[in-house]
Amino acid sequence: MSFINEARFLIKANIRDYGMYIALFVIMLTFSVLTDGLFMSSRNISNLLDSAGYIAVLAVGMTLVIVIRHIDLSVGFVAGFLGAVAAIFLTQMGMSVWLVIPIVLVFGIIIGLFNGFLIAKIGIPAFVATLAGMLIFRGALLNVTESTGTIIVNDDLFNALGNGFIPSLVEVNGLHLLSLLVGFIGIALYIYSELSTRRNKVKYGFDVISLQIFIFKLLFVSFIIGYITWVLAGYNGFSWTVVIMLLVVVVYHFLSTKTVLGRNIYAVGSNPEAAHLSGINVTKITMIVFGSMGMLAALSGILFTARLQSATTTAGTLFELDAIAAAYVGGVSSAGGVGKVTGAIIGAIVMASLSSGMNLLGVGISYQYMIRGGVLAAAVIFDVMTRKQRG
């Protein structure tokens, strides 16, 4: 099979995985042309990734929730409420950032486990249980912020999570050296991971792509990582938000693809009854996934509060819908059992790119909502069509 024919076959066979990357490339190319290169400027890409950070973190957790055939509508106001709790701890109680962050994350885990208990143990549908949670935490957010309306956070260390950048060490021709090193390490880890995966497949007799395609894939992805690193290094380098987002992706990608827990999560999503009969504790898996979702909601709230340097009465509004949209655009299946956390990040960046590009072009907010809704509908239609073809 020739290089071109094999590439076409792989794209067609893996269109769910590759489609989101193609869509992101087309969106970025289009907006770059329409804005005369302003869209791909270092400052805009840095702001775009920062604005996508707190939604991307939520989308990772939401992907696993949807994979096991559930939904969590409470995460937006859980994030807003816990972000306000963090602000109160910092400003009114004078607690240290190093103490506040783990406490708030634990609160998130407890909230998530409670949702999981209602769904897995009591048997309340996830939509209803988390809708109740959304209303409860919306009220809780209003309650803790009603006296001041806005809680200003003046802690520089905390605010750096949403607005700060990793130190540059030294600059080389105006580029941040540490950011370049981080990008280089990222490329090295990616290549090592791909080589290791290919070696194991060959060892156990699984089919692998040709060496030509494999090398092209390594070079292409490495180029993308390197280019984004170079663009960011030309501004202020990697922000702490992006670093945290990447750490979340790496950890959850490993857990979901390389561990027994990850395999059990996808088994439950593919067929809960069969998973139960095979000895998997479906209740335990459900509670773990929702506990994880609660923790990521807390982290999202911390990042959002740090970005605004304040907690507001409207924090968390529509976060859950943005996270769900990012998860679906990123390739998660509404039927369960299919979806990658890496796809969730790409989905969040796609949605953020649409907003950023349309803002640069001066598109009205009303049209922006309609276009983003159209993109979400197209993603779900694409999911349904690919499932029908496979069926």
Side-chain angles (χ1 to χ4, degrees), residues 66-140:
I66 297 174
V67 161
I68 63 169
R69 303 187 181 190
H70 291 300
I71 201 73
D72 192 339
L73 299 178
S74 69
V75 294
F77 285 112
V78 168
F81 170 69
L82 291 179
V85 169
I88 291 171
F89 284 166
L90 289 166
T91 59
Q92 298 179 17
M93 297 185 180
M95 295 172 64
S96 166
V97 172
W98 302 107
L99 191 58
V100 169
I101 292 176
I103 288 175
V104 170
L105 292 179
V106 170
F107 284 170
I109 293 172
I110 293 171
I111 291 170
L113 288 175
F114 182 70
N115 281 337
F117 176 80
L118 293 178
I119 295 161
K121 286 284 191 180
I122 307 301
I124 300 175
F127 183 89
V128 177
T130 58
L131 177 61
M134 181 180 76
L135 297 174
I136 290 169
F137 288 106
R138 183 178 185 180

Side-chain angles (χ1 to χ4, degrees), residues 25-231:
F25 177 77
V26 171
I27 288 170
M28 287 190 160
L29 181 63
T30 301
F31 281 131
S32 184
V33 171
L34 293 177
T35 61
D36 296 324
L38 181 60
F39 179 83
M40 289 301 295
S41 66
S42 297
R43 180 186 293 270
N44 189 63
I45 292 298
S46 180
N47 289 334
L48 185 156
L49 292 175
D50 284 350
S51 65
Y54 58 90
I55 294 300
V57 167
L58 278 180
V60 168
M62 190 64 73
T63 294
L64 296 183
V65 170
I66 297 174
V67 161
I68 63 169
R69 303 187 181 190
H70 291 300
I71 201 73
D72 192 339
L73 299 178
S74 69
V75 294
F77 285 112
V78 168
F81 170 69
L82 291 179
V85 169
I88 291 171
F89 284 166
L90 289 166
T91 59
Q92 298 179 17
M93 297 185 180
M95 295 172 64
S96 166
V97 172
W98 302 107
L99 191 58
V100 169
I101 292 176
I103 288 175
V104 170
L105 292 179
V106 170
F107 284 170
I109 293 172
I110 293 171
I111 291 170
L113 288 175
F114 182 70
N115 281 337
F117 176 80
L118 293 178
I119 295 161
K121 286 284 191 180
I122 307 301
I124 300 175
F127 183 89
V128 177
T130 58
L131 177 61
M134 181 180 76
L135 297 174
I136 290 169
F137 288 106
R138 183 178 185 180
L141 173 62
L142 292 172
N143 182 264
V144 298
T145 58
E146 65 181 355
S147 59
T148 57
T150 299
I151 304 171
I152 305 297
V153 179
N154 293 316
D155 191 299
D156 293 336
L157 184 59
F158 180 83
N159 291 338
L161 295 175
N163 299 282
F165 298 85
I166 65 175
S168 62
L169 298 181
V170 295
E171 292 192 5
V172 180
N173 295 325
L175 301 175
H176 284 232
L177 178 61
L178 184 56
S179 294
L180 292 175
L181 290 175
V182 170
F184 177 78
I185 293 171
I187 292 173
L189 289 175
Y190 166 73
I191 293 175
Y192 173 79
S193 174
E194 289 295 315
L195 288 172
S196 178
T197 301
R198 181 182 176 87
R199 193 183 305 115
N200 288 332
K201 285 184 177 180
V202 171
K203 179 181 178 180
Y204 292 105
F206 291 103
D207 292 333
V208 295
I209 59 178
S210 68
L211 188 60
Q212 279 183 310
I213 292 288
F214 180 70
I215 292 174
F216 174 79
K217 177 184 176 183
L218 291 183
L219 292 175
F220 180 75
V221 175
S222 297
F223 170 77
I224 296 298
I225 296 173
Y227 180 73
I228 295 298
T229 299
W230 178 75
V231 169

